[in-house]
Amino acid sequence: MDALAGVVGQELRKRIILRMYEGGKIPPAILICGSEGVGLRALAVEISKLLLCERDTPPCGDCRSCRLAIRGEHPDILYLLPLPAGERAKRLDWVKQLLSNPYLPVMFTVPASITIDDIRFLEEQIQLTPAFGGRKLAVIFDAHRMTPEAQNAFLKTLEEPPDYAHIILTTPYPDRLFETIVSRTQRFFLGRLSSREIKEYLESRTDATESQIELVSHLSEGSLGRAFLLLDREYFSARKRMLDLFLSLLRSPEDTVLLEVVQLFQNTRDKKLVSNFFAVSRSVLNDIVLYQRTGEAKFIVNIDRKDEIVEVAHLLPAEKVEEYIRVLDEKMSFLERNPNLQVLVFDFIFRLAGRDL
Ligand SMILES: [Zn+2]
């Protein structure tokens, strides 16, 4: 069995970590960063197993410690993740869901954060003597979602951790952490996966068809997490409908098309639906810009709709496409602020169609 097998690719980083482990030099505080879905959480889990495994060839994945770590039940590992206020009591359930596929983010429709109470709990737990062996771990997923008060409290833990403790943070946004936190950690940066790595993994671990895998490995932009989202059957058919609508809008924004978009988002409170629609639209606009600038269809990531994208790219003036992207990026940035979703989508499509709302 490969060492650190729970992490796809990232061979160089894995070798460095194993060498550190063999030399007894795994740092007490680690910050794992890189894009969402490339293995940040997976690596944090593997390092935890590595440090607590009870066999000679760690992490074996099979001893008592490894099995408890994978299930989120190890008494010497505390996992924290951002949760909405109403879900805090169910932390362990969410941890288990996250660990069942660390490549997929746990998403909520309401704001989720790591609070000062979470950090106080961590501080309490880490001061307790290890239950099994010599070490104790605290793992904070999406550490950038710590509130400023939480970061302040956490800084104190980082300054004087017990000598048996290791702390691991993961985040795609290290710049949202206090500089004083970042400077006290050893940073590991994980790069994007190659489309070959994603393809091979999906071929061996999922029952997706060859053409689905081909498409998804292109669309996922080096993120296995995104590849999983794209493979989801519901998402796949939703994506098709969104692409149909968005491409029709770009080709000829007639009333019937507008009406269909209005119907799709009428009464929606589903931020994920809107966010997916914007993401699909953004990737089509990207494809169009790249094609217009290079004249080459090989850069198009929505390969299943290549012909239509080329057609629209010939139809639309480049300035128009730039303007659409500007409007869309603005709408996407509003999405984080819990806006009225209908107003946001309708404003976007009506501006695209050149009409007043
Ligand atoms: Zn083990």
Side-chain angles (χ1 to χ4, degrees):
M1 193 177 156
D2 293 345
L4 309 179
V7 180
V8 180
Q10 313 290 3
E11 299 306 330
L12 180 63
R13 288 286 166 274
K14 288 199 261 191
R15 274 213 299 281
I16 292 172
I17 286 162
L18 286 171
R19 200 161 303 157
M20 282 179 161
Y21 175 78
E22 282 153 16
K25 291 199 175 98
I26 295 277
I30 293 174
L31 172 63
I32 305 173
C33 47
S35 303
E36 177 61 61
V38 301
L40 316 184
R41 289 180 291 268
L43 183 60
V45 175
E46 288 298 300
I47 296 175
S48 309
K49 279 159 61 188
L50 179 69
L51 287 168
L52 296 174
C53 179
E54 296 170 334
R55 301 244 170 95
D56 296 337
T57 51
C60 69
D62 193 40
C63 69
R64 173 183 65 161
S65 260
C66 284
R67 275 183 287 130
L68 288 172
I70 298 164
R71 291 208 299 267
E73 292 171 358
H74 199 297
D76 292 326
I77 310 178
L78 174 69
Y79 294 109
L80 288 182
L81 76 161
L83 291 172
E87 297 293 327
R88 299 200 180 280
K90 290 183 237 155
R91 184 181 55 84
L92 207 56
D93 295 333
W94 287 114
V95 165
K96 282 167 183 280
Q97 184 183 324
L98 192 144
L99 294 177
S100 69
N101 182 350
Y103 280 88
L104 276 178
V106 172
M107 286 193 277
F108 298 101
T109 47
V110 289
S113 56
I114 296 167
T115 64
I116 188 162
D117 287 339
D118 291 327
I119 298 302
R120 285 187 185 133
F121 180 60
L122 179 152
E123 175 65 22
E124 247 171 65
Q125 293 295 308
I126 215 159
Q127 296 300 339
L128 303 173
T129 328
F132 282 6
R135 291 188 172 108
K136 212 156 175 104
L137 272 287
V139 181
I140 308 182
F141 297 120
D142 289 328
H144 62 280
R145 305 280 280 277
M146 278 191 273
T147 62
E149 298 77 40
Q151 294 201 38
N152 254 323
F154 177 65
L155 197 53
K156 299 204 180 70
T157 311
L158 257 191
E159 278 165 354
E160 291 170 52
D163 52 9
Y164 51 76
H166 287 268
I167 297 171
I168 306 178
L169 311 178
T170 76
T171 177
Y173 307 105
D175 54 335
R176 294 192 200 167
L177 288 170
F178 290 176
E179 178 50 38
T180 37
I181 291 180
V182 176
S183 65
R184 283 187 167 78
T185 60
Q186 163 88 47
R187 249 167 107 155
F188 289 106
F189 177 81
L190 300 188
R192 290 173 188 275
L193 301 169
S194 68
S195 51
R196 184 185 49 80
E197 281 169 326
I198 290 181
K199 207 167 140 184
E200 279 173 9
Y201 183 86
L202 296 177
E203 275 167 1
S204 64
R205 305 290 182 88
T206 68
D207 53 11
T209 64
E210 206 176 308
S211 62
Q212 273 178 330
I213 290 176
E214 183 68 32
L215 174 62
V216 162
S217 59
H218 271 90
L219 282 173
S220 57
E221 295 167 25
S223 159
L224 187 57
R226 191 164 153 68
F228 280 123
L229 282 178
L230 290 166
L231 271 183
D232 181 271
R233 199 163 301 170
E234 242 171 76
Y235 176 82
F236 224 76
S237 60
R239 171 182 173 271
K240 187 187 171 306
R241 178 147 187 233
M242 289 171 184
L243 279 171
D244 289 344
L245 283 176
F246 189 62
L247 284 164
S248 318
L249 264 180
L250 291 176
R251 262 195 302 260
S252 54
E254 285 155 18
D255 289 355
T256 47
V257 184
L258 284 172
L259 196 64
E260 243 192 283
V261 187
V262 168
Q263 271 165 359
L264 179 63
F265 293 101
Q266 204 169 30
N267 305 322
T268 189
R269 284 162 179 267
D270 187 354
K271 200 155 135 186
K272 214 153 88 184
L273 179 76
V274 175
S275 145
N276 282 339
F277 177 65
F278 284 166
V280 165
S281 306
R282 189 65 166 88
S283 80
V284 169
L285 291 173
N286 271 351
D287 279 348
I288 294 174
V289 165
L290 273 176
Y291 179 80
Q292 286 181 332
R293 286 186 189 157
T294 63
E296 294 203 53
K298 69 176 180 199
F299 298 116
I300 290 175
V301 297
N302 292 285
I303 50 174
D304 54 336
R305 308 301 283 259
K306 196 184 275 179
D307 295 344
E308 291 158 275
I309 287 170
V310 168
E311 181 206 324
V312 174
H314 284 293
L315 217 64
L316 288 175
E319 317 86 66
K320 266 266 171 287
V321 182
E322 305 276 354
E323 188 197 322
Y324 294 163
I325 289 179
R326 216 170 38 244
V327 174
L328 179 55
D329 284 350
E330 186 191 296
K331 303 293 169 207
M332 286 171 99
S333 71
F334 281 138
L335 209 50
E336 284 220 356
R337 302 182 207 165
N338 298 312
N340 179 317
L341 294 173
Q342 276 97 46
V343 171
L344 202 66
V345 176
F346 296 163
D347 192 41
F348 170 58
I349 59 162
F350 279 81
R351 279 184 71 177
L352 214 81
R355 320 258 180 104
D356 291 326
L357 187 62

